[in-house]
Amino acid sequence: MTDLSRRSLVGLGMALPLLGHINWANAAPFAATTNTGPTRINYNESPWGPSQAAREAMREGISLCGRYPYDAQYRLIDLFAGEHGLASDQVQVFCGSKLALQHAVMAFTGPRSLVVPEPSYEAPAEAATGQGTQVHSVALDARHAHDIDAMLAADRAAGLIYLCNPNNPTGTVTPREDIERLLARKPAGSVVLVDEAYIHFSDAQSCIDLVKEHPELLVLQTFSKLYGMAGARLGLAIGQAPLLQRLEAFDGQNVAAAPTLLAGLASLQDRQLVRQRKADNARLRDQTIAWLAKRGWRCTASQTNCFMIDMRGPGQAVVERLAEEGVLVGRIWPSWPNWVRVSVGDEQDMQRFRAAFAKVTG
Ligand code: PLP
């Protein structure tokens, strides 16, 4: 394995012990995109980072850091709830939606199983496996949507059914009527979790409105993707109050960081942000997919900031060859070993991806 590809796998967790050696006074300001170093289109992050308004709000938030920022958290909850016609006790804040996912697994499974699509975001299955809960993986259907009937049939006593819409890693959308059908026919007492981490990039309709009529529906959204705040850690859980209270048992009235909360508020208040970034992402994604299609490569019909390419052979080798060219793309999923996930970066990232891809497949 090359040094570059090893670094790509190391991730921040292993880099942390080195931070003690950095002279912060001289450290260059962090930019979401730099012209040096590898092209990072491997974690479905935003190439644009927090919006300008969010950055200013973060600076303002520093002065609030001496106290627990419950006031900012309540303001964020009230704003989001108001925009969706919900009561404030139907929205809960988490330090990233992954935490909410893990708590949902702890709260709603255990002796009862977890049903997940495959391939999909692995965090819920990992949390379930970690606590010894049975996991039923159900392959996506021919459209790369969730196979709702198979998920319903997987375990009529399931504790939690996880849907990811749009799905990571394929970027594909499951039609709203399929999700409504699942809600209507789900096993009694099982909770349905719709993870909408990527909803802002897509034309899919959010399931948030369905929360009002479904006491066992939990919807998660995050500020990590379109809003460009992966490093600030902010996610929201939306559900009826008794359902959220079952999550709270593991969260204990937690509060996110003040700069993060103010940046979340500023992001929601920015009326152009979703429209603008959605359009930029779609243009860059569709251009790249068209370029690949012209050369005979098949991709998933993505509506998000990532897509998968069918390499018609072991995808891992392509990931490693691209890393040697300085382009870090996402990984393969063991159930889809020939497909490689690519995140959508900015113009320059995608140009570099095309050059490297042409070289390693040429
Ligand atoms: N859900 C999905 C589908 C994801 O792909 C991710 C991150 O990649 C998350 C949740 C976690 O996001 P967060 O940064 O809010 O913890």
Side-chain angles (χ1 to χ4, degrees):
M1 187 185 284
T2 63
D3 182 44
L4 208 56
S5 57
R6 201 174 298 117
R7 279 170 200 239
S8 74
L9 297 175
V10 163
L12 190 61
M14 290 184 70
L16 274 177
L18 299 175
L19 294 181
H21 301 292
I22 294 177
N23 177 353
W24 288 108
N26 295 333
F30 179 82
T33 305
T34 55
N35 290 329
T36 57
T39 297
R40 296 176 181 275
I41 45 175
N42 51 342
Y43 288 152
N44 293 355
E45 297 156 331
S46 166
W48 298 293
S51 71
Q52 203 48 47
R55 285 167 201 239
E56 281 158 27
M58 282 179 180
R59 278 183 217 107
E60 219 181 280
I62 294 171
S63 64
L64 302 181
C65 282
R67 298 190 184 276
Y68 296 110
Y70 283 106
D71 179 54
Q73 184 150 306
Y74 295 145
R75 280 200 283 140
L76 178 74
I77 288 172
D78 290 347
L79 177 64
F80 188 87
E83 282 185 348
H84 292 275
L86 300 167
S88 295
D89 63 3
Q90 294 175 327
V91 179
Q92 211 172 68
V93 168
F94 285 82
C95 300
S97 62
K98 185 174 187 175
L99 194 63
L101 267 176
Q102 291 163 332
H103 288 181
V105 169
M106 292 193 265
F108 307 129
T109 68
R112 299 182 68 169
S113 73
L114 170 71
V115 179
V116 295
E118 179 60 42
S120 189
Y121 186 53
E122 302 102 322
E126 284 167 0
T129 307
Q131 65 177 20
T133 290
Q134 194 181 8
V135 179
H136 302 281
S137 296
V138 177
L140 298 180
D141 68 16
R143 304 163 298 169
H144 299 155
H146 294 57
D147 186 337
I148 294 298
D149 293 325
M151 292 185 89
L152 281 169
D155 179 4
R156 291 307 293 168
L160 183 64
I161 303 176
Y162 173 75
L163 308 181
C164 189
N165 202 39
N167 189 44
N168 174 18
T170 53
T172 45
V173 166
T174 297
R176 159 93 169 206
E177 54 269 26
D178 288 8
I179 299 176
E180 290 185 27
R181 189 155 51 85
L182 180 120
L183 283 166
R185 299 188 191 166
K186 74 172 185 63
S190 65
V191 172
V192 175
L193 192 164
V194 184
D195 183 344
E196 296 188 345
Y198 300 93
I199 195 88
H200 310 99
F201 292 112
S202 78
D203 294 330
Q205 189 187 347
S206 167
C207 286
I208 287 179
D209 62 305
L210 297 174
V211 153
K212 290 174 214 158
E213 61 199 80
H214 290 284
E216 289 171 330
L217 170 63
L218 184 69
V219 179
L220 300 185
Q221 291 200 351
T222 180
F223 288 78
S224 294
K225 305 302 175 183
L226 182 136
Y227 292 115
M229 287 175 44
R233 314 304 301 130
L234 187 60
L236 298 176
I238 303 105
Q240 292 192 10
L243 194 73
L244 295 185
Q245 276 157 18
R246 288 171 68 190
L247 283 187
E248 221 170 78
F250 301 94
D251 204 42
Q253 296 270 314
N254 217 340
V255 65
T260 295
L261 290 163
L262 293 195
L265 271 162
S267 301
L268 291 182
Q269 282 162 339
D270 186 337
R271 298 292 160 202
Q272 301 306 318
L273 193 60
V274 173
R275 192 187 52 77
Q276 184 65 54
R277 288 191 172 186
K278 180 181 170 187
D280 288 343
N281 175 74
R283 178 176 50 79
L284 290 160
R285 179 195 62 220
D286 294 346
Q287 275 173 359
T288 311
I289 289 177
W291 182 89
L292 287 161
K294 216 166 147 190
R295 284 154 186 80
W297 299 101
R298 184 163 73 110
C299 297
T300 52
S302 171
Q303 286 204 30
T304 68
N305 67 338
C306 68
F307 58 90
M308 293 188 102
I309 312 170
D310 180 2
M311 298 309 308
R312 304 189 292 264
Q316 184 56 32
V318 179
V319 172
E320 288 172 19
R321 294 279 314 284
L322 286 170
E324 284 163 15
E325 296 300 319
V327 175
L328 307 181
V329 299
R331 52 217 160 84
I332 55 126
W333 264 245
S335 58
W336 281 30
N338 289 356
W339 295 75
V340 169
R341 188 189 74 184
V342 177
S343 305
V344 179
D346 63 14
E347 198 89 50
Q348 190 180 51
D349 293 333
M350 300 328 281
Q351 265 171 27
R352 287 181 176 168
F353 165 75
R354 287 197 292 267
F357 190 86
K359 191 167 171 191
V360 307
T361 57

